[in-house]
Amino acid sequence: MTDRTRAHVFVSGKVQGVFYRANTRDTAESKGIDGWVQNLSDGRVEAVFEGPESTVEEMVEWCHTGSPAADVDDVDVEYDDPNGEDGFRVRR
């Protein structure tokens, strides 16, 4: 089995109200990534991606652009061991 990893991502900028979460979900599902995405009260978007290391890296890279209407200022990411996310969902 391919080595799996977990990326915990915080995206700042104009990332709420621009379909960022929906686009993240669609992109993650198309790549077979497990995890979730949600808006935070401070205007950022938080996401967790679990899957093969190279595919998770592609997802993190995608976050720097995100949805077509987004204007991303920064992407903070922390890596950890996967904890068994199953499927991809939008929270809140």
Side-chain angles (χ1 to χ4, degrees), residues 9-21:
V9 180
F10 293 90
V11 185
S12 57
K14 182 183 173 191
V15 292
Q16 290 189 13
V18 293
F19 301 101
Y20 196 94
R21 290 177 302 162

Side-chain angles (χ1 to χ4, degrees), residues 5-70:
T5 192
R6 175 184 178 95
H8 191 180
V9 180
F10 293 90
V11 185
S12 57
K14 182 183 173 191
V15 292
Q16 290 189 13
V18 293
F19 301 101
Y20 196 94
R21 290 177 302 162
N23 279 277
T24 301
R25 179 198 60 222
D26 294 347
T27 303
E29 287 177 346
S30 75
K31 293 180 178 295
I33 293 288
D34 298 311
W36 49 265
V37 62
Q38 69 182 358
N39 284 341
L40 297 176
S41 60
D42 64 5
R44 295 180 299 163
V45 167
E46 177 184 19
V48 164
F49 306 121
E50 286 190 8
E53 191 172 346
S54 62
T55 311
V56 168
E57 284 294 331
E58 289 174 18
M59 211 48 230
V60 170
E61 190 60 35
W62 178 90
C63 287
H64 288 269
T65 304
S67 66

